[in-house]
Amino acid sequence: REMQGVRLADDGRLCIGGGTIHRAVAEEAKPHYPGLASLAARIGDPAVRNRGTIGGSVANNDPSACYPAGVLASGATIVTNSREIEADDFFQGMFSTALEEGEIITEVKFPVPEKARYEKFIQPASRFPLVAAFVAKFSEGVRVAVTGASENGVFRWTEAETALSADFSAKALEGLTLDGGSMISDLHGSGAYRAHLVGVMTKRAVLDLV
Ligand SMILES: Cc1cc2nc3c(=O)[nH]c(=O)nc-3n(C[C@H](O)[C@H](O)[C@H](O)COP(=O)(O)OP(=O)(O)OC[C@H]3O[C@@H](n4cnc5c(N)ncnc54)[C@H](O)[C@@H]3O)c2cc1C
């Protein structure tokens, strides 16, 4: 119980207990961080959202999971029973994280951006994203995290971040491309297809926000 719930801390960060189910985040985070609540509301189906937790999703670091994109794009902090880990240091490749044996995620602390949007191209059989992008606009700059695409799991698309931090418009993304050779290629989509989708999802997220 002590690992469940959503609260707004005095420093303005939204803190979500590691054992909080997706449905609770979808409902309770909505007034504070609607972009993140919307991500949680679209994970899987109602049964999945009533059982799956933010701690389980982040610890598992499935290369197609939704939360890692929201956590990384927000620049969140993962709190465990022994320390705090910045999102930039936490995700270390497909199904791989900075967690050590026996370490438990007790909370995730999210800085709340000015605006944010998660665009997800759904793989209809599982409802996992085939590719999805989370765009978070802070006063200091824009962060973009992509899931479902890379062989190395969730990643920040730094070229898009630089372009959008200078000019927050879909036009700023024109001409930016990613290498399909390092992307997941399977029966659902080739690496080149996924690389293309990253651009489309990021553009849609920005268009929704401007
Ligand atoms: C049909 C289906 C569709 C799905 N669709 C999506 C989707 O669209 N998007 C998406 O993101 N996910 C999706 N999921 C995954 C789902 O959202 C779950 O969050 C995810 O499977 C983790 O489940 P869980 O929280 O029960 O963790 P578990 O399965 O219990 O745990 C996963 C791993 O994390 C460890 N762990 C669990 N909690 C913690 C903790 N607090 N600290 C440290 N380690 C921990 C466990 O030991 C285990 O190794 C889907 C799953 C299903 C079955």
Side-chain angles (χ1 to χ4, degrees):
R1 278 175 194 271
E2 34 312 344
M3 279 172 49
Q4 292 172 3
V6 176
R7 68 183 173 89
L8 197 61
D10 292 341
D11 64 8
R13 285 190 290 181
L14 190 69
C15 303
I16 302 178
T20 311
I21 57 170
H22 309 324
R23 178 178 55 78
V25 176
E27 291 168 2
E28 294 171 34
K30 201 170 178 182
H32 311 292
Y33 190 167
L36 186 71
S38 164
L39 174 153
R42 287 177 284 151
I43 292 175
D45 52 36
V48 169
R49 293 194 290 275
N50 274 291
R51 290 298 294 270
T53 63
I54 187 169
S57 174
V58 172
N60 203 37
N61 193 17
D62 184 300
S64 299
C66 298
Y67 267 123
V71 168
L72 189 58
S74 304
T77 303
I78 292 95
V79 183
T80 77
N81 51 325
S82 58
R83 59 185 169 141
E84 299 200 351
I85 312 167
E86 297 307 320
D88 283 322
D89 302 322
F90 183 84
F91 300 105
Q92 300 189 345
M94 196 180 275
F95 293 110
S96 179
T97 71
L99 288 176
E100 286 169 9
E101 197 65 31
E103 203 171 359
I104 298 291
I105 298 172
T106 55
E107 196 171 58
V108 185
K109 296 179 179 175
F110 290 86
V112 179
E114 290 171 355
K115 41 189 173 180
R117 173 73 188 165
Y118 181 61
E119 271 300 323
K120 173 177 176 182
F121 192 85
I122 290 177
Q123 202 279 81
S126 71
R127 297 200 177 91
F128 269 95
L130 186 62
V131 164
F134 196 105
V135 175
K137 184 179 185 302
F138 293 90
S139 55
E140 316 88 72
V142 177
R143 289 173 67 109
V144 179
V146 175
T147 186
S150 171
E151 289 281 2
N152 292 317
V154 68
F155 70 96
R156 282 175 67 187
W157 188 13
T158 49
E159 290 84 359
E161 291 181 348
T162 305
L164 290 171
S165 296
D167 171 17
F168 195 71
S169 73
K171 198 165 175 286
L173 297 169
E174 279 174 17
L176 296 187
T177 54
L178 282 159
D179 176 18
S182 59
M183 298 288 167
I184 299 167
S185 194
D186 59 19
L187 78 167
H188 304 301
S190 66
Y193 181 64
R194 280 185 162 85
H196 177 72
L197 267 186
V198 174
V200 175
M201 291 300 104
T202 307
K203 196 175 283 183
R204 283 186 191 171
V206 173
L207 282 171
D208 188 77
L209 294 172
V210 290

